[in-house]
Amino acid sequence: MKLAIPQPRRLSGAALKFHAQRIMDELKDVGADQYDLHVPETRYLPHVIQADEHIQGAVYGKYPQGRGALVATDKRILFIDKKPLFVRLDDIDFGVVGGITYTQTGLPGIVTLRTRLGDYKLRTFNSKNAMNFVDYVGARCLRSEQLSQKVIDKIMNGDYDDYDDQKRTI
């Protein structure tokens, strides 16, 4: 039996333009400045973010291999480094995040996202953007950890019948 994996619907024309404008508005709401809105990583976001996904935090900055962006949505975290003939796109689930920190020394600050797959460090000058990103990811990871603990407690108590049943009760 072959399983069909649903693919996100590709947007085009007016729908893509509306989707791109929504993404720009969400980035402004989380603290992106004018420079952030015009970098290649931002222009690439409409092709990656799904129509039912919403940006909750973003940070732009430099890392050892160049410039990149960490974007937190309500479903995942994306690391994007867009160059003319190259795109690095890492899709990070909140479950693999081990921690997040923001340290500021002088004018620039450093956001460090620690995951089981490796660390992401971005040096940024937009502290408002960085703090919004760190606050959202920290809160979301804490919520994910609490939900995981509820599932473990149910399994240990014998109240866990089926995965679908677990999704409905939590």
Side-chain angles (χ1 to χ4, degrees):
M1 182 169 122
K2 191 173 184 181
L3 295 175
I5 299 172
Q7 297 295 320
R9 213 172 47 118
R10 294 280 181 210
L11 300 174
S12 61
L16 181 62
K17 192 173 185 178
F18 176 76
H19 181 61
Q21 186 58 49
R22 180 184 63 86
I23 288 172
M24 296 293 258
D25 293 341
E26 289 178 358
L27 286 169
K28 289 177 192 173
D29 290 346
V30 298
D33 58 23
Q34 285 300 313
Y35 175 78
D36 296 338
L37 298 176
H38 296 289
V39 297
E41 289 79 10
T42 299
R43 290 194 307 270
Y44 192 69
L45 280 174
H47 303 287
V48 179
I49 304 259
Q50 298 172 6
D52 63 341
E53 200 170 11
H54 298 283
I55 296 173
Q56 304 296 322
V59 64
Y60 294 85
K62 300 237 180 233
Y63 74 109
Q65 287 79 31
R67 181 187 62 229
L70 282 165
V71 179
T73 71
D74 53 350
K75 297 182 178 186
R76 59 192 170 153
I77 300 171
L78 299 167
F79 175 77
I80 303 169
D81 179 4
K82 174 82 170 79
K83 304 237 186 319
L85 297 173
F86 169 78
V87 176
R88 176 181 174 189
L89 177 65
D90 295 347
D91 191 334
I92 305 162
D93 186 71
F94 286 101
V96 299
V97 174
I100 186 162
T101 59
Y102 175 67
T103 54
Q104 189 164 4
T105 53
L107 191 56
I110 297 175
V111 173
T112 305
L113 179 69
R114 299 191 185 287
T115 71
R116 294 181 194 148
L117 308 171
D119 293 350
Y120 297 86
K121 281 188 176 187
L122 287 179
R123 188 182 77 224
T124 182
F125 287 95
N126 189 340
S127 60
K128 177 185 175 189
N129 214 8
M131 290 304 296
N132 287 342
F133 178 81
V134 169
D135 290 345
Y136 176 75
V137 171
R140 177 64 193 261
C141 289
L142 181 63
R143 191 175 78 208
S144 293
E145 187 177 311
Q146 290 169 343
L147 286 175
S148 296
Q149 189 58 46
K150 283 183 183 179
V151 171
I152 291 169
D153 291 344
K154 282 187 165 212
I155 291 170
M156 297 306 284
N157 293 333
D159 297 336
Y160 181 81
D161 293 330
D162 173 329
Y163 176 74
D164 290 333
D165 185 43
Q166 174 262 329
K167 282 185 0 189
R168 283 192 297 271
T169 58
I170 291 183

